[in-house]
Amino acid sequence: MKPPRPESRPDRVSLLRYLRLFRQDILSAQPERLYRAKMAEFRTVFFRSYFINQPDLIKTVLKERPLSFPKSDRIAAGLRPLLGNSVFLTNGKVWQRQRRIIDPAFEGGRLRDAFPAMLGAGQAMVERLGATDGPVEVEQVASHGAADVIFRALFSIPITNTTATRVFTEFRKFQRSQPILNLAAFVPLPRWFPRFHSRTTRNSARMVRQLISELTDQRMRAIADGSAPDDLATKIMTQADPESGQCFDADEMVDQVAIFFLAGHETSASALAWAIYLLALDRDVQARVAAEAANLPEVPEFSDMSKLKFTRDAFREALRLYPPVPMFVRETTGAECFRGRDIKTGSQVVISPWHLQRNDRIWPNPDDFDPDRFARKGQEHCMREGFIPFSSGARVCPGAGFAMVEGPLFLALLVRQFEIDRVAGHDPVPVAHLTVRSKDGIWVNMRPRKKG
């Protein structure tokens, strides 16, 4: 049984119909031909968008000339109530300064420092599931576990902390109320023009930011009196820009923590939930993951992650089939020419990991769940040319390495404890909200795994 993907719309629909579909779910709004297209053009009366699905063009935009293709503010408009001026939304010199401060906190050796937080959250997740024997909605399980990791890694507090619980609850309200696109995605509005966010969206974003502000204020006081733990928040708040010598101020830190929570929790939860479902769909793959997990010590250490080679490939395959962020949107700062087509300044350039990673010009049997493809000889180019779940180039997600430890670890801890099966008749339908989620949740049957 192939993993599910959305039904594509017919090739020709009216502009109004397309915009309605696009607002509801950007995946099912796209025609089937985009999976094989090298490039496509979409026109409105306000702007033009160019979808590129050809590796060398994507390399130009993301790796070779990223400053010529900054992030489009059309998509950012929907997230600004929560993320403010965070590194996820900024461009140019502001973004460069933010990355100079943030990147050192995620360098190689820091993953080892964060591992106890990941392990603690994973063990707590398994404990919460207890002696589960029946259907479980794993998007909720994954969201709770991923949020727990972020709070432990950033602020050294578990999600059971009162403030952490309130942030998680309010973020869930924001996630459900905020579409991935709003009016600004389709109409060129000036910055002062209202974006028509719903009251729920505005209130939830305001509450999340207020709670994060309380945490950052507490941490700044702890840093000042020398009692702060050596976690990610402390590292980032005390890291000075090597060029200016300045650190983030309180408002800037709220913006950055908001995106760490969104990127580190929402995207990790999406990837983990789909990975769990895929293991339920393929019991042979699940058995191989369980065999690797059984070889871990009762309390794994960071060095033990090297024993999870196949589990890592299974998680990567989940990221390929269900990339948490399905599309990136950039904007041209000058005239361009792609595939002989002239592109004007201010045009949108859309890069879709969802389509690239299912492109049969690059990937053999792209709709199959096949973790072995990552170790198969002769297919190394697939990874190089067609695998960008964390973006690529200068704007690659700084937490990519973090996610590639957290995901396999959580899978191993879960499968070591539980056998997982699909719930017949309840296979998930992927849709794009803030990330790739399921229309009605992802349900699986879980029961305690027999030992020996």
Side-chain angles (χ1 to χ4, degrees), residues 74-95:
R74 296 181 187 278
I75 304 301
L79 297 173
R80 215 167 280 285
L82 177 67
L83 302 184
N85 207 35
S86 79
V87 70
F88 185 73
L89 303 182
T90 53
N91 287 303
K93 291 184 178 179
V94 173
W95 168 77

Side-chain angles (χ1 to χ4, degrees), residues 26-47:
I26 60 176
L27 299 180
S28 57
Q30 309 308 320
E32 181 69 22
R33 59 188 172 83
L34 285 193
Y35 285 96
R36 291 195 48 110
K38 295 180 179 179
M39 182 172 167
E41 182 178 357
F42 174 75
R43 299 186 184 190
T44 75
V45 295
F46 301 110
F47 63 89

Side-chain angles (χ1 to χ4, degrees), residues 81-82 170 174 200-210:
L82 177 67
E170 290 297 332
F174 178 88
T200 300
T201 295
R202 295 194 306 271
N203 289 344
S204 296
R206 188 183 306 115
M207 181 56 68
V208 169
R209 290 181 63 83
Q210 179 182 323

Side-chain angles (χ1 to χ4, degrees), residues 163-335:
T163 303
T165 299
R166 291 177 66 195
V167 172
F168 178 64
T169 301
E170 290 297 332
F171 180 82
R172 295 282 286 178
K173 293 179 184 177
F174 178 88
Q175 178 201 42
R176 294 186 182 105
S177 67
Q178 175 57 44
I180 195 167
L181 298 169
N182 71 355
L183 181 64
F186 305 110
V187 181
L189 301 175
R191 280 189 174 272
W192 54 264
F193 198 88
R195 262 41 182 187
F196 304 110
H197 299 291
S198 73
R199 179 177 297 179
T200 300
T201 295
R202 295 194 306 271
N203 289 344
S204 296
R206 188 183 306 115
M207 181 56 68
V208 169
R209 290 181 63 83
Q210 179 182 323
L211 293 167
I212 289 174
S213 181
E214 292 174 11
L215 290 172
T216 55
D217 287 346
Q218 292 169 11
R219 178 52 54 87
M220 284 186 167
R221 290 194 295 271
I223 291 170
D225 65 24
S227 63
D230 186 27
D231 51 23
L232 280 176
T234 296
K235 290 181 174 73
I236 293 168
M237 293 169 77
T238 57
Q239 175 69 41
D241 175 9
E243 292 191 8
S244 68
Q246 296 177 336
C247 299
F248 285 138
D249 62 28
D251 290 340
E252 288 177 311
M253 194 61 197
V254 172
D255 292 343
Q256 307 316 324
V257 171
I259 185 54
F260 295 151
F261 188 74
L262 172 63
H265 146 251
E266 175 71 9
T267 58
S268 294
S270 169
L272 178 62
W274 286 109
I276 293 169
Y277 169 73
L278 290 168
L279 294 189
L281 203 61
D282 192 321
R283 295 302 303 277
D284 290 338
V285 170
Q286 185 181 154
R288 292 170 66 183
V289 171
E292 283 193 339
N295 288 327
L296 292 177
E298 185 62 28
V299 180
E301 296 182 356
F302 181 72
S303 59
D304 293 313
M305 294 305 295
S306 63
K307 300 173 183 176
L308 298 179
K309 288 184 171 62
F310 181 75
T311 305
R312 178 182 169 88
D313 285 345
F315 186 68
R316 286 201 289 188
E317 181 69 339
L319 285 168
R320 184 188 69 81
L321 286 168
Y322 301 101
V325 180
M327 292 185 181
F328 313 137
V329 183
R330 301 293 189 258
E331 190 169 290
T332 57
T333 57

